[in-house]
DNA sequence: TAAGATTGAGATCTCAATCTTG
DNA sequence: CAAGATTGAGATCTCAATCTTA
């Protein structure tokens, strides 16, 4: 079954998933959103309250300096605002604006639609295994 | 089986991709290589002769300006050299150096090892389906 | 004008160094 | 000194504009 030369498999995996990512990004682009931006907005919505940039970095599974720049762009888009934390003056928290909440809702709708389009390309009987495989990879994620 | 809220699935897919990609990149980093660099070297090795930057961009499934910069870095690493094409003076071709060939071989060995490590995280009985899923996604790639 | 390559600007990400506050 | 955030440099990628050659 595995007739691929060793090593080539990696390029197929990465290439295939990049193609999927590109489709999802394309669905968000007309809204002025990206997966990175929508992901950060989703974390803030899920938290239900402003998050420190450090906490946001943790939940986005990325480095702090990345969030600094991402929040710069989200703030320029007026989707979040930086607020000082009176309890710890080193900390800066990101707070959703009303426009940020609205854009998050619109982005998730667009993402769900694109997601259905991608899933529809997977043969029906393989879909469950696909979802199970993602569970396997969640372990990889946790190992970072 | 699919108990994920709609939309969240996308973040899991993309998250899994980035985790796998990070593991592969980490395996190449000690060699001074990246997936992007090794991918370009592999295309040149497969071609068996120097390729124009346009042809290389096509095979790497990316934009021309990306290859211009990637070849800049590969040339700085002394893994390829730019050679003029006497038949079409608009064209510039990338040619492997001996060091480029050697680094490609070492990179592929490291990649295969990292690949085995990633595949070993997939339950044995799902492995075949996984490979089959990649075939499905190859269609997505072709649709770019 | 077309095609091939490059450049410039910007998005996303990383790491190392720095600055402020605890 | 630790921790939180930022800045600077650089890798990877995209798009739009430009330059040279066909």
């Amino acid at each position: 079954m595995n007739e691929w030369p060793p090593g080539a498999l990696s390029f197929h995996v990465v290439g295939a998933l990049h193609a999927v990512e590109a489709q999802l990004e394309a669905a968000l682009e007309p809204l002025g959103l990206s997966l990175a931006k929508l992901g950060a907005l989703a974390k803030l919505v899920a938290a239900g309250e402003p998050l420190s940039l450090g906490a946001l970095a943790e939940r986005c599974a990325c480095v702090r300096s990345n969030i600094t720049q991402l929040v710069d762009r989200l703030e320029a888009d007026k989707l979040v605002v930086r607020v000082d934390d009176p309890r710890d003056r080193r900390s800066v928290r990101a707070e959703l604006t009303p426009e940020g909440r609205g854009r998050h809702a619109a982005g998730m709708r667009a993402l769900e639609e694109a997601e259905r389009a991608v899933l529809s390309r997977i043969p029906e009987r393989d879909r469950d295994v696909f979802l199970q495989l993602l569970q396997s990879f969640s372990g990889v994620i946790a190992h970072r």
Side-chain angles (χ1 to χ4, degrees), chain A residues 41 44 74-75 77-82 94-103:
Chain A
L41 293 181
L44 288 172
L74 287 170
E75 212 170 15
D77 292 343
K78 301 195 186 307
L79 302 181
V80 307
V81 288
R82 278 179 166 88
E95 179 171 23
L96 283 167
T97 64
E99 195 182 342
R101 286 180 195 284
R103 200 74 69 85

Side-chain angles (χ1 to χ4, degrees), chain A residues 23-114:
Chain A
Q23 290 207 344
L24 301 178
E25 294 278 8
L28 296 178
E29 191 268 344
L31 293 170
L33 285 178
S34 61
L35 279 172
K37 286 177 176 179
L38 181 58
L41 293 181
K43 299 294 182 296
L44 288 172
V45 167
E49 59 177 2
L51 288 177
S52 73
L53 300 202
L56 194 51
E58 224 175 84
R59 298 177 199 209
C60 291
C62 72
V63 132
R64 280 214 176 99
S65 62
N66 190 7
I67 291 297
T68 293
Q69 304 171 84
L70 184 54
V71 168
D72 282 348
R73 295 189 295 268
L74 287 170
E75 212 170 15
D77 292 343
K78 301 195 186 307
L79 302 181
V80 307
V81 288
R82 278 179 166 88
V83 294
D84 290 336
D85 185 336
R87 272 178 285 290
D88 186 340
R89 286 164 57 189
R90 293 173 302 181
S91 180
V92 176
R93 291 187 302 169
E95 179 171 23
L96 283 167
T97 64
E99 195 182 342
R101 286 180 195 284
R103 200 74 69 85
H104 166 260
M108 289 308 288
R109 282 193 299 272
L111 189 62
E112 286 157 28
E113 193 180 313

Side-chain angles (χ1 to χ4, degrees), chain A residues 128-141:
Chain A
D128 281 352
V129 182
F130 171 72
L131 297 171
Q132 198 172 325
L133 282 168
L134 284 182
Q135 304 279 8
S136 305
F137 278 121
S138 295
V140 182
I141 298 177

